[in-house]
Amino acid sequence: MLFSSTFFLYIFLPLVLIIYYGMSKKQESRNLILLIASLIFYAWGEPKFVLVMLMSIAANYYFGILVDRKKHEHNVKLYLVLMVVFNLSIMGIFKYLGFTVETINGIAGLNLTVPQIALPIGISFFTFQSISYVIDVYRGHGKVLKNPLDVGLYIAFFPQLVAGPIVRYETIANEIHGRKETEKDFAEGIVRFTIGLSKKVLLSNQFALIADKAYSLEEAGTLTVVFAWLGAISYMLQIYFDFSGYSDMAIGLGKMFGFHFNENFNFPYISKSVSEFWRRWHISLGTWFRDYVYIPLGGSRVGKVKLFRNIFVVWLLTGIWHGANWTFIVWGVYFGVLLLIEKFTGLDKWLAKSKIVGHVYTLFLVLISWVLFRASSLGDAISYMKFMFGVGNMEVMSDITHLYLSENIIILIIGILASLPFSQWIKRCYNTENETVQKVMKVLGMIALVILFFTSVSYLVKGTYNPFIYFNF
């Protein structure tokens, strides 16, 4: 079930809100309502995978109880290892088994049968949340949950279930039973959800059409240099508005039910270095790897050799986390190498002082990374980059390139502007104590949100192209 669907907007969400706020004020009852709604939400597209979800919930509930009881015993780390192995095994079987067998066949020249296993939506996200729960209980960052239904709610909560953000247990540990739903939070949740919905429907979906066309022309061998750059830039904007839009909707939905998730994006395309970019992009994944992998390995408080190892391991795992394809692995290593260069040369600090060079440097390297990320194979990625740089006397312009440029120039400008923190700049410019001005700004803001919501819904009713990139992870 997609957030950006008429069924979710007009049936599922209103029904859940009515039942949640209308049936009981007891937190236990409301938690049960949310758990049932979340399992229905997950089962809507693939009912059989609810069993995988329930198995994960049951096992991690048990691991949480076991680790809490054995917290001060010397063998507690054995249980932590077993927990990690269990969770990663589930993800490994469904997500990486086929890729692993294919790789073995290719390297060893074997002809082993490659298993065709369907991928449960959001398995990478709920697996990492499951690991977070048990480790946070062990570290004392949240109380162990005695009721397995509460563990189920944390792991399966539908706003962030299938595409994040990754919500650490310590972030909402006190809100599972101690949250307070307020009108202010509910109103802010509606605003945040509407912003996310408009990002997804009005921007990401439009850029998806351009990017998909560019990659289809590349496959046909008729892509021009200008269209290659247009497609790469469009995908760069598509993936940002797709994922940040989904995160906005998840954060907004959480607030409607009294939960407060951490931010997942902070205008990453204004970064002046790759290091800064990854402090602003997919923040929940970056901090997860930092706190559960990088720091336990020793972090930056080690020698240069171990520091090199720590950064390389984290980024290799980051690439693998995104998918079972060599493109993702190389993508992760690519960023790992860039971060190592910045870390060991001090380049990131020098770039931070620049006004233009840092932005150009970062945007170019990130743009190249998205070409690799979008391609179905390393060969396709290299082929696309050849078109971008005119390798092999490629055609620079064509009639279809001119058509797509002329038809989409306005949406491209809007997308670029929307990826910048203009809203924050405007707020600072109009930060006044004049009550009349404040009221006018609020009214204008409400009108804008209403227009965005109904425009987004009209696009959905028309049945426009509506892909979600991060559903694949």
Side-chain angles (χ1 to χ4, degrees):
M1 190 186 304
L2 298 174
F3 290 167
S4 57
S5 66
T6 51
F7 181 84
F8 179 84
L9 293 172
Y10 288 141
I11 298 176
F12 182 84
L13 181 58
L15 278 177
V16 173
L17 287 170
I18 289 169
I19 295 171
Y20 181 83
Y21 283 104
M23 287 190 63
S24 176
K25 291 185 178 181
K26 292 183 178 180
Q27 204 97 97
E28 292 79 6
S29 300
R30 288 184 168 182
N31 285 351
L32 179 60
I33 291 167
L34 287 180
L35 175 58
I36 294 171
S38 297
L39 294 176
I40 292 172
F41 177 88
Y42 192 73
W44 191 257
E46 344 179 87
K48 61 184 179 181
F49 288 130
V50 170
L51 297 176
V52 178
M53 172 72 71
L54 293 175
M55 180 175 66
S56 176
I57 291 169
N60 285 290
Y61 163 74
Y62 176 73
F63 278 123
I65 295 291
L66 195 59
V67 166
D68 185 62
R69 288 176 181 173
K70 306 288 186 179
K71 190 180 296 184
H72 302 294
E73 297 182 15
H74 69 279
N75 62 344
V76 66
K77 290 187 178 180
L78 172 62
Y79 299 118
L80 287 173
V81 170
L82 290 174
M83 177 274 297
V84 172
V85 170
F86 170 81
N87 283 291
L88 294 185
S89 295
I90 293 178
M91 192 165 70
I93 291 170
F94 283 99
K95 193 168 184 176
Y96 303 107
L97 183 58
F99 172 72
T100 302
V101 174
E102 283 183 354
T103 303
I104 292 172
N105 284 343
I107 294 174
L110 301 177
N111 193 28
L112 301 174
T113 301
V114 179
Q116 302 298 318
I117 304 175
L119 180 66
I121 290 176
I123 190 170
S124 298
F125 288 96
F126 72 71
T127 297
F128 271 29
Q129 289 201 186
S130 300
I131 294 172
S132 168
Y133 166 67
V134 180
I135 292 178
D136 283 357
V137 167
Y138 165 71
R139 291 176 174 176
H141 294 169
K143 293 181 179 179
V144 67
L145 296 170
K146 303 293 186 181
N147 188 339
L149 298 181
D150 293 332
V151 178
L153 175 60
Y154 165 66
I155 293 175
F157 191 30
F158 75 87
Q160 38 68 226
L161 172 59
V162 294
I166 301 169
V167 179
R168 308 260 290 277
Y169 177 59
E170 65 176 316
T171 303
I172 62 169
N174 295 327
E175 293 183 336
I176 291 177
H177 283 291
R179 68 185 180 277
K180 293 182 179 180
E181 302 89 346
T182 66
E183 292 181 4
K184 182 175 181 289
D185 273 348
F186 193 88
E188 289 178 355
I190 292 174
V191 170
R192 193 63 180 271
F193 181 88
T194 302
I195 291 172
L197 181 67
S198 60
K199 279 184 180 181
K200 175 70 186 87
V201 176
L202 302 181
L203 294 175
S204 178
N205 289 357
Q206 312 314 309
F207 293 124
L209 294 171
I210 306 171
D212 288 354
K213 182 64 176 178
Y215 276 85
S216 69
L217 291 174
E218 182 272 326
E219 292 174 1
T222 57
L223 186 63
T224 65
V225 173
V226 175
F227 208 135
W229 283 92
L230 175 62
I233 293 170
S234 295
Y235 185 74
M236 187 179 190
L237 293 170
Q238 177 198 352
I239 195 170
Y240 170 65
F241 289 115
D242 177 282
F243 196 17
S244 69
Y246 194 97
S247 294
D248 285 340
M249 287 188 276
I251 291 169
L253 287 169
K255 279 196 169 187
M256 292 183 198
F257 297 103
F259 290 92
H260 298 81
F261 305 154
N262 291 333
E263 294 296 332
N264 207 24
F265 288 86
N266 183 22
F267 299 102
Y269 292 154
I270 67 170
S271 303
K272 293 182 180 179
S273 67
V274 174
S275 300
E276 183 186 357
F277 174 80
W278 277 104
R279 290 194 295 270
R280 293 174 175 273
W281 178 278
H282 204 343
I283 299 169
S284 64
L285 180 66
T287 55
W288 195 99
F289 273 115
R290 180 196 67 197
D291 293 343
Y292 298 118
V293 179
Y294 183 69
I295 291 177
L297 285 174
S300 58
R301 296 181 178 181
V302 292
K304 289 186 177 181
V305 174
K306 287 187 176 180
L307 177 59
F308 182 97
R309 178 205 64 185
N310 295 350
I311 294 175
F312 183 82
V313 167
V314 165
W315 285 96
L316 177 62
L317 293 177
T318 300
I320 293 172
W321 180 89
H322 277 87
N325 193 316
W326 283 107
T327 55
F328 295 121
I329 295 172
V330 174
W331 176 84
V333 172
Y334 168 84
F335 273 118
V337 170
L338 292 175
L339 290 166
L340 282 168
I341 292 172
E342 291 187 359
K343 184 79 172 177
F344 282 98
T345 63
L347 179 62
D348 56 334
K349 295 178 181 178
W350 180 82
L351 290 169
K353 299 175 183 178
S354 68
K355 291 184 178 180
I356 298 176
V357 177
H359 289 304
V360 174
Y361 155 88
T362 305
L363 288 174
F364 175 76
L365 292 177
V366 170
L367 180 69
I368 295 300
S369 80
W370 291 138
V371 173
L372 184 60
F373 194 90
R374 170 63 172 76
S376 57
S377 68
L378 292 175
D380 287 344
I382 294 170
S383 174
Y384 194 97
M385 290 179 199
K386 286 182 178 179
F387 279 103
M388 289 176 67
F389 296 102
V391 177
N393 296 319
M394 306 293 183
E395 187 179 2
V396 176
M397 197 74 171
S398 66
D399 290 340
I400 192 171
T401 304
H402 185 271
L403 175 65
Y404 267 75
L405 273 173
S406 59
E407 286 186 344
N408 295 288
I409 187 65
I410 300 300
I411 192 69
L412 282 165
I413 293 172
I414 292 173
I416 292 169
L417 293 177
S419 67
L420 302 175
F422 273 106
S423 59
Q424 296 179 4
W425 298 338
I426 291 171
K427 285 180 181 178
R428 284 199 293 266
C429 290
Y430 289 94
N431 186 16
T432 174
E433 295 181 359
N434 188 302
E435 292 185 4
T436 302
V437 174
Q438 288 180 351
K439 289 179 180 179
V440 170
M441 293 299 292
K442 284 183 180 179
V443 171
L444 291 175
M446 290 175 63
I447 293 172
L449 284 170
V450 170
I451 292 172
L452 286 174
F453 178 79
F454 283 105
T455 305
S456 299
V457 170
S458 69
Y459 270 74
L460 294 176
V461 170
K462 288 193 300 182
T464 54
Y465 187 44
N466 192 27
F468 249 130
I469 294 173
Y470 267 77
F471 269 20
N472 297 321
F473 310 124

